[in-house]
Amino acid sequence: MEYSFASRMGGLHASAIREILKFTADPSVISFAAGNPAPEAFPKEEVERIADRILRENPIAALQYSITEGYAPLREALKADLSARLGIGRAFDELIITSGAQQAIEHCCKVLINPGDTILCENPSFVGSLNAFKSYEANLVGVDVEDDGISVEKLESALKQNPDAKLLYVIPTFQNPSGATMSLEKRRAVYRLCREHGVLILEDNPYGELRFRGTDLPTIKSMDEDGIVLYCGSFSKVLSPGLRVGYLCAPREFAQKVVVLKQVSDVHTNILAQMICHEFMTTTDFPAHLARLKEIYRHKSSLMLDEMRRQLHPRITWVEPEGGLFIWCRLPEGVNMVDFCNRAVRNKVAVVPGTAFMPHDKDRTQCFRINHSTPTDDQIRKGIALLGELSHEIL
Amino acid sequence: MEYSFASRMGGLHASAIREILKFTADPSVISFAAGNPAPEAFPKEEVERIADRILRENPIAALQYSITEGYAPLREALKADLSARLGIGRAFDELIITSGAQQAIEHCCKVLINPGDTILCENPSFVGSLNAFKSYEANLVGVDVEDDGISVEKLESALKQNPDAKLLYVIPTFQNPSGATMSLEKRRAVYRLCREHGVLILEDNPYGELRFRGTDLPTIKSMDEDGIVLYCGSFSKVLSPGLRVGYLCAPREFAQKVVVLKQVSDVHTNILAQMICHEFMTTTDFPAHLARLKEIYRHKSSLMLDEMRRQLHPRITWVEPEGGLFIWCRLPEGVNMVDFCNRAVRNKVAVVPGTAFMPHDKDRTQCFRINHSTPTDDQIRKGIALLGELSHEIL
């Protein structure tokens, strides 16, 4: 049988990271390629205790069909928390639960984008989102990320050159993959420019709670007086990615469209997982848990950065992130970045070539991404030593 | 802010059933409108015990990111079970886990359908699937369902009239909403006709395990020598819908495309839920559990049918289903079906007007759907009595 696939499938390939992760199935390969939370970051005992209580006291609710918008007590707890801590959520907003923030992003795109419609995004950006956009045949226009976040000048010029752009997708805090955090000034400028041009902002904030240096900045959503910001967050990095619980806070009219789509995509998000998230938020010391996470990642990132300063050739450069899971390394001009990554994995340390995060296949970069959250301390030391050897060999 | 939604949103509305279910939030309304498993059908203690063991013995695997294709041991167990019991799965097939069968259906459509492409479907059919198809702007062509399943004559003529049709969507066993089961002869004819016309078959089998009368028939997938059948199943009706675990068995090339889409829609299905399904399948007496479910539904459907024969006006007719969750009732010509349903809910018993299951808003029917699995025995008696009173009042 010859299958005749929809035209949207033409521009889609399995993520390049997946291909690299295949090498890391070899246990002798140290992986800096993933973005998994540290195993020691999971509150195993609390989740076990909470799941047991739910299934003992309220099993039918946990196992039966539920409503598409999400488990009401979790929605209320999140609304209260986002409002109190981050100033997120106005009278015109609604909050719904999604199957990870990935689903919120995919559904926002499905709600908005006709084939050929323009989405502006950071360059580089999170490959999962870029591929979700490509799956609706969006015209992706990348805007360069600087050390303090997206280039406002280039954003302004992209907005002018793409007067029909519908959406700007940004990860303002500890961006994946660049690690950059958008300055307060830039957040204000991004909001103002998008409002002026009638462009919605999709603000993705999976890492915001994982700050281990510096001070918190307001989200763009907290500035949203006009109903132009779609904000998504997730329990993946603060509790567990396996549970697949995320959320979208967006103007009600928009959120209701997402609900219609979610109804036909997975009916609702696993309800036991939603109940676990709710109980974890409301019956444990969540701030203490977050403080513990920050401590874990502060330690791991510091260790990795120390080793990098010690071991990598000085012509490899990076900006120290203030939080999140990733460090974005730049090779000097003239070095073949993809070749460097291929040699690294042959030398038993896997990193992700930066081209994986470019909006277009043809885009080039000298950068690669490394992750400090998944490897052990020992693997961090050994892996950076291997990268160091390779860097001195090549440079 | 004026939002400019994608054109695909134009044909989509929140499900009519959802609107009816709002009335059933009133506890004095007896609901025959839902399709929830009976609360007593959940193996609560086993699930509690299994979840506890997983979170005690293997918590990191249950909480960490996992692969898009699904939890490998569950995939293996399902492949073995489908092959042994149903003759499903050939060398060219692959089985992947989805977030409910709903996601399998939505993704099959996203893989195949360009706006305007034709999907043939049963008329009436499951509204969740019809809306998933509409969300990709498919051209839906309904083919009437008879007492023994889809009309083969009408299918043949629809195939001739729509030479570019890409997909036929069918629920051959205990169809939702008609309750009809496609005869063996018709299954063979459907397979043959679709092969001749180069049309893929999406076979949805959520209720197949819930037979309480008659003998099992082979699935269409078991006849698939040509790689034209996409088969989806689910744990929703045999274990728990809240867990949101379904699966797709399809030719590998097709399944791989679905995996690419799933990666950008929810990364993977909740892993704890997948592990629970696996343990439930392999460490409990699953056949005994299924036998218990059949007993529950045999009792409920018999009670409902007995009461219907006793209480409903004889001009209301139906075909007795051999399994599944629904009974499809026909009002005589001349009676306003929608008005009947509206009066029923005002009289405190909710049923679903058959128009909710028509491929097009303008399609008409004299039928309505009732469900026996969700109400208690007492609610079945009272609810049918109320419908009976109304039927004698109107006819």
Side-chain angles (χ1 to χ4, degrees):
Chain A
M1 182 74 187
E2 284 273 318
Y3 305 104
S4 158
F5 298 116
S7 61
R8 68 177 67 84
M9 301 306 291
L12 273 185
H13 317 287
S15 145
I17 300 179
R18 274 173 71 92
E19 301 308 305
I20 291 153
L21 290 178
K22 280 183 191 160
F23 290 106
T24 65
D26 173 355
S28 73
V29 172
I30 294 172
S31 176
F32 296 157
N36 291 7
E40 62 269 32
F42 294 117
K44 297 179 295 203
E45 288 79 18
E46 285 91 335
V47 171
E48 187 200 333
R49 189 172 41 73
I50 287 169
D52 186 61
R53 189 169 64 225
I54 291 167
L55 289 171
R56 230 174 335 103
E57 295 177 0
N58 211 357
I60 302 302
L63 298 175
Q64 189 55 280
Y65 276 119
S66 187
I67 61 169
T68 306
E69 288 85 345
Y71 181 58
L74 176 61
R75 294 171 68 205
E76 292 311 314
L78 278 169
K79 280 186 214 176
D81 181 63
L82 290 175
S83 170
R85 286 194 310 118
L86 304 177
I88 283 179
R90 306 200 180 219
F92 56 68
D93 281 318
E94 191 48 273
L95 184 142
I96 59 171
I97 305 298
T98 56
S99 301
Q102 182 73 43
Q103 186 181 50
I105 291 161
E106 200 266 13
H107 278 20
C108 284
C109 183
K110 190 174 179 185
V111 161
L112 275 179
I113 299 300
N114 289 315
D117 280 353
T118 294
I119 298 180
L120 308 176
C121 63
E122 292 163 306
N123 180 11
S125 187
F126 171 50
V127 60
S129 299
L130 299 184
N131 280 339
F133 303 152
K134 287 177 186 174
S135 82
Y136 292 101
E137 298 173 272
N139 171 40
L140 291 186
V141 175
V143 180
D144 288 346
V145 176
E146 298 163 341
D147 294 355
D148 60 346
I150 196 167
S151 161
V152 169
E153 237 168 63
K154 288 182 178 166
L155 173 61
E156 187 158 15
S157 115
L159 284 164
K160 282 181 185 153
Q161 277 165 42
N162 297 277
D164 296 334
K166 275 190 159 176
L167 187 68
L168 168 69
Y169 171 69
V170 284
I171 309 171
T173 305
F174 322 136
Q175 205 244 7
N176 179 3
S178 72
T181 293
M182 199 186 289
S183 67
L184 178 55
E185 212 165 37
K186 284 192 169 182
R187 288 170 196 237
R188 288 187 178 135
V190 163
Y191 182 78
R192 183 178 43 77
L193 281 172
C194 284
R195 187 184 50 197
E196 280 169 20
H197 288 82
V199 168
L200 296 178
I201 300 168
L202 176 52
E203 181 177 21
D204 187 10
N205 191 20
Y207 315 108
E209 300 300 333
L210 305 182
R211 174 178 286 279
F212 34 77
R213 272 185 277 285
T215 47
D216 285 335
L217 292 176
T219 62
I220 301 177
K221 181 65 181 168
S222 69
M223 305 168 187
D224 186 19
E225 294 179 349
D226 306 275
I228 63 167
V229 184
L230 321 166
Y231 177 89
C232 50
S234 168
F235 283 90
S236 290
K237 305 305 184 291
V238 297
L239 178 55
S240 149
L243 293 178
R244 310 306 306 129
V245 180
Y247 47 90
L248 173 72
C249 178
R252 189 163 290 107
E253 183 188 352
F254 193 97
Q256 282 167 347
K257 296 283 181 190
V258 173
V259 169
V260 170
L261 292 183
K262 182 166 169 61
Q263 211 183 344
V264 303
S265 71
D266 66 357
V267 189
H268 64 77
T269 295
N270 179 294
I271 182 73
L272 174 59
Q274 294 187 63
M275 293 170 91
I276 290 173
C277 290
H278 171 249
E279 291 270 310
F280 191 79
M281 272 188 82
T282 55
T283 69
T284 73
D285 188 346
F286 200 38
H289 169 70
L290 292 177
R292 196 176 71 86
L293 290 192
K294 286 180 198 190
E295 203 42 63
I296 291 171
Y297 294 126
R298 181 182 295 123
H299 164 76
K300 279 177 176 278
S301 72
S302 297
L303 174 65
M304 189 170 250
L305 288 162
D306 285 349
E307 294 295 314
M308 288 166 69
R309 277 185 292 265
R310 241 164 37 84
Q311 311 250 22
L312 297 193
H313 191 285
R315 289 180 64 209
I316 299 185
T317 57
W318 57 88
V319 175
E320 295 203 359
E322 298 190 331
L325 307 181
F326 304 110
I327 306 169
W328 186 238
C329 302
R330 183 177 301 274
L331 289 164
E333 290 302 325
V335 176
N336 184 322
M337 183 276 298
V338 172
D339 180 58
F340 179 89
C341 296
N342 287 338
R343 286 180 64 174
V345 80
R346 282 202 300 274
N347 290 0
K348 307 287 186 188
V349 54
V351 304
V352 186
T355 37
F357 307 98
M358 303 284 114
H360 302 286
D361 290 345
K362 59 167 183 31
D363 295 338
R364 287 290 156 262
T365 175
Q366 285 301 98
C367 297
F368 61 92
R369 189 191 78 174
I370 55 181
N371 159 269
H372 61 74
S373 63
T374 317
T376 62
D377 288 4
D378 197 43
Q379 288 173 323
I380 288 175
R381 285 190 203 95
K382 282 191 188 145
I384 296 295
L386 288 168
L387 283 182
E389 277 169 40
L390 180 63
S391 70
H392 287 283
E393 214 176 291
I394 282 190
L395 289 166
Chain B
M1 182 75 186
E2 283 273 318
Y3 305 103
S4 159
F5 298 115
S7 61
R8 66 177 67 84
M9 302 306 292
L12 272 185
H13 317 287
S15 144
I17 299 178
R18 272 173 71 91
E19 302 307 306
I20 291 152
L21 290 179
K22 281 184 191 159
F23 290 107
T24 66
D26 173 355
S28 73
V29 171
I30 293 171
S31 177
F32 296 157
N36 291 7
E40 62 269 32
F42 295 117
K44 296 179 296 202
E45 287 79 17
E46 286 91 336
V47 171
E48 187 199 334
R49 188 173 42 73
I50 287 169
D52 186 60
R53 189 169 64 225
I54 292 167
L55 289 171
R56 230 175 333 105
E57 294 176 3
N58 211 357
I60 303 301
L63 298 174
Q64 189 55 282
Y65 276 118
S66 187
I67 61 169
T68 307
E69 288 85 346
Y71 181 58
L74 176 61
R75 294 171 68 204
E76 292 313 313
L78 278 168
K79 280 184 214 177
D81 181 65
L82 291 175
S83 169
R85 286 194 309 117
L86 305 177
I88 283 180
R90 306 201 179 216
F92 55 68
D93 282 317
E94 191 48 272
L95 184 141
I96 60 171
I97 306 298
T98 56
S99 300
Q102 182 73 43
Q103 187 181 50
I105 292 161
E106 200 266 13
H107 278 20
C108 285
C109 182
K110 190 174 178 184
V111 161
L112 276 179
I113 298 300
N114 289 316
D117 280 352
T118 294
I119 298 179
L120 307 176
C121 62
E122 291 163 307
N123 178 13
S125 187
F126 170 50
V127 59
S129 299
L130 299 184
N131 280 338
F133 302 152
K134 288 179 187 174
S135 82
Y136 292 101
E137 299 173 90
N139 170 40
L140 291 185
V141 175
V143 180
D144 288 347
V145 177
E146 298 163 340
D147 293 355
D148 60 347
I150 195 166
S151 161
V152 169
E153 238 170 63
K154 288 183 179 165
L155 174 62
E156 188 158 16
S157 115
L159 284 164
K160 283 182 184 152
Q161 278 166 42
N162 298 276
D164 296 335
K166 277 190 156 175
L167 189 69
L168 168 69
Y169 171 70
V170 284
I171 309 170
T173 305
F174 321 137
Q175 204 244 9
N176 179 5
S178 72
T181 292
M182 199 187 288
S183 67
L184 177 56
E185 213 167 36
K186 284 192 170 182
R187 289 170 194 237
R188 289 187 177 133
V190 163
Y191 182 78
R192 182 178 44 74
L193 281 172
C194 285
R195 186 184 51 198
E196 280 170 18
H197 287 82
V199 168
L200 295 177
I201 299 168
L202 176 53
E203 179 176 22
D204 186 11
N205 191 20
Y207 315 108
E209 301 299 333
L210 304 181
R211 176 178 286 280
F212 35 76
R213 271 185 279 282
T215 47
D216 285 334
L217 292 176
T219 62
I220 300 176
K221 181 65 181 168
S222 69
M223 306 168 187
D224 186 19
E225 293 179 352
D226 306 276
I228 63 167
V229 185
L230 322 167
Y231 176 88
C232 50
S234 168
F235 284 91
S236 290
K237 305 304 184 294
V238 296
L239 178 55
S240 149
L243 293 178
R244 311 304 307 128
V245 180
Y247 48 90
L248 173 72
C249 178
R252 190 164 289 107
E253 183 188 351
F254 194 97
Q256 281 166 346
K257 296 283 182 191
V258 173
V259 169
V260 171
L261 292 183
K262 183 167 170 60
Q263 211 183 343
V264 303
S265 71
D266 66 357
V267 189
H268 63 78
T269 295
N270 179 295
I271 182 72
L272 174 59
Q274 294 187 65
M275 293 170 90
I276 290 173
C277 290
H278 172 249
E279 291 270 309
F280 191 80
M281 271 188 83
T282 55
T283 69
T284 73
D285 188 347
F286 199 38
H289 168 71
L290 292 176
R292 196 176 70 86
L293 289 192
K294 287 180 198 189
E295 205 40 64
I296 291 171
Y297 294 126
R298 181 182 294 121
H299 164 76
K300 279 178 176 279
S301 71
S302 297
L303 174 64
M304 188 171 251
L305 289 163
D306 285 348
E307 294 296 314
M308 287 166 69
R309 277 185 292 265
R310 240 164 37 84
Q311 311 251 20
L312 297 193
H313 191 286
R315 291 181 63 210
I316 297 185
T317 57
W318 58 88
V319 177
E320 295 203 359
E322 297 190 329
L325 307 181
F326 304 110
I327 306 168
W328 186 238
C329 303
R330 183 176 302 275
L331 290 165
E333 290 302 323
V335 175
N336 184 322
M337 182 277 296
V338 173
D339 180 59
F340 179 89
C341 296
N342 286 338
R343 286 179 65 172
V345 80
R346 281 203 300 274
N347 290 1
K348 307 286 186 189
V349 54
V351 304
V352 186
T355 38
F357 306 98
M358 302 284 115
H360 302 286
D361 290 346
K362 59 170 184 26
D363 295 338
R364 288 289 155 263
T365 176
Q366 284 302 98
C367 297
F368 61 92
R369 189 191 78 174
I370 56 181
N371 160 270
H372 61 74
S373 63
T374 316
T376 62
D377 287 5
D378 196 44
Q379 287 172 325
I380 289 176
R381 285 190 203 96
K382 282 191 189 145
I384 296 295
L386 288 169
L387 282 182
E389 278 170 40
L390 180 63
S391 70
H392 287 282
E393 215 176 290
I394 281 190
L395 290 165

